[in-house]
Amino acid sequence: MNLLSILQTLNQLLEAGISITAFSLLLYALTFNLKDKVARSSAFIMACVVIVFVGESVAGVVTNLAWVERWYQIQWIGIIFLPSAYVLLSDAVLATTGRPSRGRRTKLVKVTFVISGIFLLTIPYYLLVGPLVTENVVAPHLERTNLTWVFSAFYILSMIWAWINFQRAYHRTRTRSGRRRMGYLIVGALAPALGSFPYLLFGSAFASVHPYVFWLVAVASNILVSGLIIIMAYAVAFFGVSWPDRVVKRRLIKWVMRGPITVSTVLALTTLSRRIGEPLAVFAPVVMAGTFLLMQYVITMFSPMWERWFLFGEEKNNLAMVQNLEARLFTTDDLKQLLESVLAAICDRLQVQKAFTASFNKRGVDFLVSVGGPAGFDKEDLSQNILAVATAEDKIGQFELFSWGEYWIIPVFSEAEPDDLLGLVGVEIPEEEFHGDQKEAFQILIQRAYQALEDRNFQQQIFTSIEDLTPQMNRIQSLRAASRFDGTRVLTTAINDSTLDEGTLTGWVRDALSDYWGGPHLSESPLLQLEVVQNALEEHDGISVKAIRSILREAIDKIRPEGTRRFTLDWVLYNILEMKFLKGQKVRDVSKRLAMSEANLYRKQKVAIEIVAKTILEMEKQAREESNESSSENAKKMLQ
């Protein structure tokens, strides 16, 4: 292979790599932050880049000239819509910095799309670009027409307008991090704009005279485009998300490493092994599989290192602690396995057949583990009768020993709160009395069960604290993310009444009720934004879950009819809410109790939730009025 062939092959690989990278970044935008207008506009640009470079790549490898021409025409679809996409992106970026369109800018954006659509209609008729040119050229391309000059002027003017908007957005961004990322966006956006334009339409004569210069410039241009579109995607990844910066960086780098870099590397090495010659061509499948596996190995092994490069000082230690916690998390399945082993050891040492362990929570028995066959009762039976065990008959070391039927019962209480029953261990009463070794082994095994239940209880307390803190952390992260580019407006804007329409509030209430006894819809509920919930936080020691529950319960109580509870028509809505959500009963049981079909129950439930939402809306308005009156009184006192 001579130098010219090497440059052509390298250029083809880079074009394929760009199309793969752009497609991967398009999927990233569609997956993580599609709700943001900047991200959607960027995704549209990436779609145009994919079309441009896929058309260029396929046209470079097919041999049928008719298909070459067709693929170059497909490439022009992306080229045509690229100016409109840039104008749309610049408008979205400018709006993000607090300068939304007042109508005129939006109309001009729509006009650019209409113009692009008109240009698109001219392609099949060879008006925008002509037939394929293959003779006396360094590379095939479509022939230039008079309309090509018009499109080029439209392309240049649209890009100038877009960059003016970018500059305005940059100067409106006040924070250092916001300006830095806005700069990344402006620089990265150069790649699709400069790398996608078909320069051979105007420079084919020069390229034919200087082919080495042309291919060197093409390779350098594609290398630059490959890097810049990743920089552009990096900048856009921060728009419309409330994740911390480290999360955005880690997620994007993993996406790029496992996606475009891995695929492009596999494609490049496989292609080169096939084109080098016959000895290596037969090993192309091996090269493909081996490269893919090796890339995954390298990413997995070295990802912890580059993740720590983005975190410094205390944050690095916190990251390591969280990663270790995830690896050493003591789950319920882990606890059951340990307790089952402890019970088996107890049965072996005491020469008995049956033993069980029960874990308790505020509702009753959490789970039941038994060995040697069924314990002879279920959770409900245990919950109802365990309190009847009241007389201590003996002690094994520090543990009290009770008798319950054919079992010895050893209660396990929390060390921090002696009245908090964590669980109990039940052992079939042995036929023979204890001797020294058995008693000592029994104490050690009971201690193992106690430690496991105590550690799990402590872990659950930590998770409860994290659950309570999560909504506050989410709100702070959302404010931090939203204020990157328009801090003044975001930080000084309170929740207004427009966000409290009944439809939105009904959705919030429905989600919170679905997780009334715990879950992300309750702990991370947008209801925390309400003034009435914030007031309730003070009454519940800042625990957000309890505050939301109290407001939901208060709203449900407000729709409760007066008098003694009945199962009549006027009580049906309250009964559905109370039985379905507050008591957590199954739909089938509630429908039977209320003598209605499940379909009718769901219809009534929808109406009931809407009424609860209206009630909370009235409570919120009243809370705001009281807050405004209190603020006015305080202001008057200060003036006096």
Side-chain angles (χ1 to χ4, degrees):
M1 295 178 67
N2 56 29
L3 179 59
L4 194 61
S5 299
I6 293 174
L7 290 174
Q8 291 175 344
T9 301
L10 183 58
N11 186 69
Q12 290 177 347
L13 292 175
L14 287 170
E15 289 173 346
I18 292 172
S19 61
I20 293 169
T21 303
F23 183 67
S24 177
L25 296 175
L26 170 62
L27 293 178
Y28 181 90
L30 296 177
T31 303
F32 293 114
N33 54 349
L34 187 60
K35 294 181 180 180
D36 185 74
K37 187 177 180 181
V38 174
R40 291 198 303 270
S41 306
S42 172
F44 192 73
I45 290 179
M46 290 300 171
C48 292
V49 173
V50 170
I51 295 173
V52 170
F53 282 92
V54 166
E56 185 77 23
S57 301
V58 177
V61 296
V62 297
T63 56
N64 188 300
L65 294 180
W67 277 107
V68 173
E69 180 179 283
R70 185 66 60 194
W71 277 105
Y72 276 127
Q73 289 177 334
I74 292 173
Q75 177 194 27
W76 267 87
I77 298 175
I79 297 173
I80 286 172
F81 280 100
L82 204 55
S84 304
Y86 267 91
V87 172
L88 180 65
L89 175 63
S90 66
D91 176 70
V93 171
L94 190 56
T96 302
T97 60
R99 193 62 185 268
S101 172
R102 298 176 181 175
R104 183 179 60 182
R105 211 165 66 221
T106 301
K107 292 179 181 178
L108 290 175
V109 171
K110 292 179 180 178
V111 168
T112 60
F113 275 95
V114 171
I115 295 174
S116 294
I118 294 173
F119 280 124
L120 179 64
L121 296 176
T122 63
I123 290 182
Y125 304 101
Y126 297 97
L127 297 177
L128 179 59
V129 284
L132 184 69
V133 179
T134 57
E135 297 181 359
N136 300 323
V137 292
V138 69
H141 60 87
L142 299 180
E143 186 179 358
R144 186 181 67 224
T145 66
N146 292 331
L147 194 59
T148 307
W149 291 96
V150 178
F151 172 78
S152 300
F154 167 70
Y155 192 99
I156 294 172
L157 290 175
S158 298
M159 293 301 174
I160 292 174
W161 179 22
W163 253 261
I164 291 175
N165 287 342
F166 285 146
Q167 289 296 325
R168 292 173 64 191
Y170 178 82
H171 291 299
R172 289 184 58 83
T173 305
R174 302 299 182 190
T175 64
R176 184 176 60 181
S177 61
R179 280 206 164 199
R180 184 176 67 251
R181 289 183 184 121
M182 192 67 72
Y184 291 158
L185 176 61
I186 295 173
V187 173
L190 289 170
L194 300 179
S196 301
F197 192 80
Y199 297 104
L200 276 177
L201 285 172
F202 304 95
S204 60
F206 176 84
S208 299
V209 176
H210 306 282
Y212 287 97
V213 175
F214 169 77
W215 287 114
L216 282 172
V217 171
V219 168
S221 173
N222 286 333
I223 292 174
L224 186 64
V225 169
S226 301
L228 289 180
I229 60 172
I230 294 177
I231 293 175
M232 178 182 175
Y234 169 78
V236 172
F238 291 92
F239 285 85
V241 296
S242 59
W243 305 319
D245 291 357
R246 62 183 180 277
V247 176
V248 176
K249 294 174 183 178
R250 186 187 305 126
R251 181 168 287 174
L252 181 61
I253 292 177
K254 280 189 175 181
W255 188 280
V256 172
M257 291 293 293
R258 296 192 183 277
I261 291 182
T262 297
V263 175
S264 299
T265 303
V266 171
L267 176 64
L269 293 179
T270 305
T271 303
L272 291 175
S273 66
R274 285 175 175 171
R275 294 191 180 185
I276 286 176
E278 186 62 30
L280 290 179
V282 295
F283 292 102
V286 178
V287 172
M288 178 186 298
T291 305
F292 179 80
L293 293 175
L294 185 61
M295 288 294 296
Q296 296 302 313
Y297 171 79
V298 170
I299 293 170
T300 303
M301 292 299 296
F302 292 98
S303 59
M305 296 177 58
W306 56 254
E307 280 183 6
R308 291 189 177 92
W309 291 345
F310 294 98
L311 302 169
F312 305 96
E314 183 183 353
E315 291 185 353
K316 185 186 297 185
N317 297 329
N318 291 340
L319 175 63
M321 182 177 64
V322 172
Q323 290 175 337
N324 291 333
L325 177 63
E326 181 182 5
R328 292 167 174 79
L329 182 66
F330 195 49
T331 65
T332 302
D333 288 338
D334 297 333
L335 178 62
K336 288 181 179 180
Q337 290 178 19
L338 175 59
L339 292 176
E340 190 172 4
S341 299
V342 170
L343 294 177
I346 290 175
C347 290
D348 181 61
R349 295 307 300 252
L350 300 186
Q351 296 299 303
V352 296
Q353 298 296 322
K354 296 181 180 180
F356 69 88
T357 302
S359 173
F360 285 86
N361 56 26
K362 293 181 180 180
R363 299 187 189 180
V365 177
D366 188 11
F367 64 82
L368 187 66
V369 179
S370 62
V371 297
F377 49 82
D378 55 17
K379 292 182 180 180
E380 288 74 13
D381 185 31
L382 184 62
S383 297
Q384 293 171 4
N385 295 288
I386 191 60
L387 295 179
V389 181
T391 305
E393 296 184 352
D394 196 358
K395 277 195 173 185
I396 300 296
Q398 60 176 321
F399 300 104
E400 293 182 342
L401 186 67
F402 299 88
S403 178
W404 186 51
E406 61 177 336
Y407 290 97
W408 278 342
I409 303 295
I410 301 92
V412 178
F413 293 93
S414 172
E415 185 176 341
E417 300 180 12
D419 295 332
D420 187 7
L421 181 63
L422 300 180
L424 54 84
V425 178
V427 183
E428 186 180 10
I429 299 175
E431 297 180 358
E432 300 179 1
E433 294 184 2
F434 276 166
H435 55 75
D437 292 342
Q438 285 181 320
K439 186 175 182 179
E440 183 180 356
F442 187 51
Q443 292 183 54
I444 294 174
L445 291 170
I446 296 298
Q447 181 66 33
R448 296 282 187 266
Y450 166 77
Q451 289 175 349
L453 291 170
E454 179 72 18
D455 289 348
R456 181 175 182 270
N457 179 61
F458 183 64
Q459 180 179 280
Q460 293 299 110
Q461 292 177 3
I462 294 174
F463 287 153
T464 301
S465 301
I466 294 174
E467 186 180 17
D468 292 334
L469 285 174
T470 298
Q472 287 86 343
M473 292 189 293
N474 287 343
R475 287 200 302 274
I476 293 299
Q477 290 287 5
S478 298
L479 278 175
R480 179 195 56 81
S483 61
R484 286 188 183 115
F485 307 101
D486 185 19
T488 303
R489 182 181 64 85
V490 173
L491 296 175
T492 57
T493 302
I495 303 174
N496 51 50
D497 290 333
S498 64
T499 63
L500 291 178
D501 62 280
E502 291 183 7
T504 301
L505 198 58
T506 299
W508 295 355
V509 171
R510 181 177 58 251
D511 292 340
L513 285 173
S514 67
D515 281 353
Y516 185 82
W517 289 110
H521 287 150
L522 182 70
S523 60
E524 303 175 15
S525 174
L527 291 171
L528 283 167
Q529 305 173 61
L530 303 182
E531 184 86 19
V532 66
V533 178
Q534 290 296 315
N535 294 340
L537 280 173
E538 301 176 1
E539 302 174 7
H540 294 86
D541 301 324
I543 301 176
S544 57
V545 174
K546 291 183 179 180
I548 297 176
R549 279 202 198 108
S550 68
I551 296 302
L552 291 173
R553 183 64 196 239
E554 182 179 350
I556 292 174
D557 288 341
K558 284 180 178 293
I559 68 174
R560 184 183 190 275
E562 296 182 358
T564 306
R565 178 176 174 178
R566 300 175 181 177
F567 291 92
T568 55
L569 186 61
D570 55 332
W571 281 81
V572 66
L573 297 182
Y574 173 80
N575 286 335
I576 290 174
L577 293 169
E578 195 262 348
M579 297 171 68
K580 174 77 165 32
F581 298 111
L582 302 190
K583 290 187 176 180
Q585 297 182 14
K586 296 180 180 179
V587 174
R588 180 172 53 188
D589 297 335
V590 176
S591 62
K592 287 182 179 180
R593 186 70 182 85
L594 299 179
M596 64 174 62
S597 65
E598 292 187 14
N600 190 26
L601 174 64
Y602 281 116
R603 286 193 293 269
K604 297 291 185 181
Q605 175 182 301
K606 180 180 179 182
V607 175
I609 292 175
E610 290 174 353
I611 294 176
V612 172
K614 291 180 181 178
T615 305
I616 293 178
L617 185 60
E618 293 298 324
M619 294 167 62
E620 174 67 10
K621 291 179 179 178
Q622 183 179 354
R624 291 187 179 184
E625 290 175 359
E626 293 176 356
S627 177
N628 292 335
E629 290 177 2
S630 176
S631 299
S632 300
E633 291 178 0
N634 292 335
K636 290 179 181 178
K637 291 180 180 179
M638 292 177 63
L639 292 174
Q640 292 174 355

